[in-house]
Amino acid sequence: MNKVKFIYNPYSGENTIVSGIDTVIKIHQKYGYEIVPFRISPGVNMEEAFKGLDETYNYILVAGGDGTVDTAVNHMKRLNIDIPIAILPVGTANDFAKFIGIPENVGRACEKIINSEPRSLDLGKVNDKYFINVASTGLFTDVSQKTDVNLKNTIGKLAYYVKGLEQLHNLRKLKIKVKSETAFFDGDMYLMMVFNGQTAGNLNLAYKARIDDGLLDVIIIKAGVIKDTITLFIKMLRGDHLENTAGLIYFKSDKIEVDCNEDIVTDIDGERGPDFPLTIECIKGGIEVLGVNMNSKYGESI
C-alpha cells in the first residue's frame, strides 16, 4: 500500500480539519493509500513529522494555512526531502492554495489531489528561508504576527483588517534600497511585497504573477501624500489593475537585493522573516505540487 504523510494543524482557521480527518482517510483508502498522520501542536517540532519517510511515501499532504505550508516546505528543504507536496487549505489565510486552484472543500480537494500529476512550481527564497506566497516589509507587515490566534479563529480574515486599522496611526515613511537587473529604487516607501503567488489577504495584487515563469512579482508603495496613498489602497482593495498608478512600482525579477536601516521587520507568509539585508530570489521549479489547476489563469505560465 502506498503511503501519504498527513501533517495537519488542528488550530488552523476554524478548526475545519478536525471534522474533516475522517474524510481525508476515507477518500485516500478508496484509492489504496495509507494515511500516516502527524498532528501539529505547541511545543512539538514539525521536523518530527518527517522522520521515517522513505520510498513508500507518495506525497506529503499538509492541512493548514499559508504559514503551516511554509513551515513544512522549509523543513523539507532543510532535510533534503524531495517528494511532492499537496495542500488542504483550512487556515485563516489560504492565498497560495487559491492561487493554484485547490478547493476549500476537504473531500473535493482530496479527490483533485489524488487524481493529479505533480507539477514543478516556483518557490521564493529570502536569505536562507523559503516562502510559497509572499514576503513583505513595511506598513502592516507584522499584522499576522501580532494577531491573536483566538481572534483569527473567531472572526477569520477580518481579524487581520482589524489589526491593520490599529496600525494606521503609525503610518510613516521608511527609507529602503531595492535593486535588481530590472529595477532600482532608493527612497521612502510604506510597503514592499514580493510575490511568488498572486494574492495577499485574498486581495488580487500581483495579478501578473505566473506559477512557473521563474520570476517574482515586486510591488513597492512609495511614501507620498496621505490622500494619494489612501486612494491607492482603495484601488488595491477594489482589485483594480495598477499600471501607471502614481506612487506604485510594479516589476518582475528573479533576484532582488533589499537593504533598510529602519526599525522594521520582515514577514514570510505570516511568519517572522530574516533581518536586513535581504537577498530575495526565485527558485524556478523549486517544489513539486499536486492538485494544481492546469486550466485556470493562475496555473498557466506566460
Side-chain angles (χ1 to χ4, degrees):
M1 180 178 285
N2 297 320
K3 295 179 182 177
V4 173
K5 173 64 73 171
F6 176 42
I7 301 172
Y8 70 97
N9 185 351
Y11 309 102
S12 286
E14 298 177 356
N15 311 109
T16 306
I17 194 58
V18 174
S19 60
I21 290 175
D22 184 64
T23 299
V24 173
I25 295 173
K26 179 178 69 175
I27 293 176
H28 279 81
Q29 282 185 179
K30 181 177 74 171
Y31 288 93
Y33 290 96
E34 175 188 352
I35 288 287
V36 181
F38 182 88
R39 180 183 186 275
I40 298 173
S41 58
V44 176
N45 191 332
M46 192 189 285
E47 189 169 320
E48 298 291 320
F50 301 98
K51 287 186 176 179
L53 282 178
D54 56 30
E55 66 280 355
T56 64
Y57 284 85
N58 289 72
Y59 62 93
I60 296 169
L61 179 64
V62 181
D66 290 333
T68 301
V69 177
D70 184 274
T71 302
V73 168
N74 272 277
H75 280 295
M76 289 173 66
K77 288 297 181 181
R78 187 160 53 250
L79 297 170
N80 294 316
I81 295 171
D82 190 24
I83 63 175
I85 188 172
I87 303 168
L88 294 181
V90 296
T92 303
N94 306 295
D95 286 297
F96 188 73
K98 289 178 182 177
F99 178 51
I100 62 176
I102 304 296
E104 291 186 351
N105 178 274
V106 171
R108 289 194 294 113
C110 287
E111 289 278 357
K112 184 174 184 179
I113 289 165
I114 291 170
N115 291 291
S116 69
E117 295 294 327
R119 185 172 177 189
S120 296
L121 304 185
D122 295 341
L123 194 60
K125 188 178 183 183
V126 183
N127 294 355
D128 61 347
K129 289 189 175 183
Y130 296 87
F131 66 97
I132 56 165
N133 190 58
V134 61
S136 61
T137 189
L139 182 67
F140 306 135
T141 291
D142 59 352
V143 163
S144 178
Q145 300 169 30
K146 290 181 176 179
T147 305
D148 181 77
V149 172
N150 293 325
L151 185 62
K152 286 194 289 185
N153 289 342
T154 302
I155 61 175
K157 291 186 182 69
L158 180 60
Y160 293 131
Y161 299 117
V162 170
K163 198 66 182 179
L165 289 173
E166 292 178 4
Q167 293 197 9
L168 282 177
H169 69 280
N170 292 324
L171 190 65
R172 63 188 178 96
K173 297 179 179 180
L174 302 166
K175 178 75 172 177
I176 195 167
K177 179 181 289 187
V178 181
K179 60 180 180 179
S180 75
E181 290 186 355
T182 55
F184 178 80
F185 176 74
D186 186 358
D188 295 328
M189 64 97 186
Y190 290 133
L191 175 66
M192 176 180 177
M193 296 172 286
V194 182
F195 286 89
N196 183 53
Q198 193 172 67
T199 64
N202 212 29
L203 299 177
N204 188 15
L205 301 176
Y207 45 84
K208 297 179 183 179
R210 293 296 179 266
I211 212 157
D212 56 2
D213 61 355
L215 298 171
L216 300 170
D217 286 51
V218 184
I219 295 176
I220 300 173
I221 298 177
K222 297 191 290 184
V225 180
I226 295 298
K227 67 178 182 65
D228 294 337
T229 302
I230 291 174
T231 300
L232 173 56
F233 277 123
I234 291 172
K235 290 185 68 173
M236 294 170 69
L237 288 170
R238 286 199 309 240
D240 295 346
H241 280 199
L242 304 173
E243 282 96 347
N244 303 315
T245 299
L248 182 138
I249 299 171
Y250 188 146
F251 66 93
K252 287 176 173 281
S253 181
D254 61 352
K255 186 175 182 179
I256 309 104
E257 303 285 345
V258 185
D259 202 4
C260 180
N261 293 320
E262 303 278 357
D263 183 24
I264 54 174
V265 300
T266 66
D267 183 277
I268 299 176
D269 293 329
E271 306 294 331
R272 175 69 182 263
D275 295 328
F276 295 99
L278 309 175
T279 297
I280 309 175
E281 54 190 322
C282 183
I283 311 301
K284 184 172 175 59
I287 189 169
E288 295 280 309
V289 183
L290 288 161
V292 179
N293 189 349
M294 299 291 289
N295 298 317
S296 75
K297 63 180 180 180
Y298 301 146
E300 295 173 353
S301 56
I302 57 175

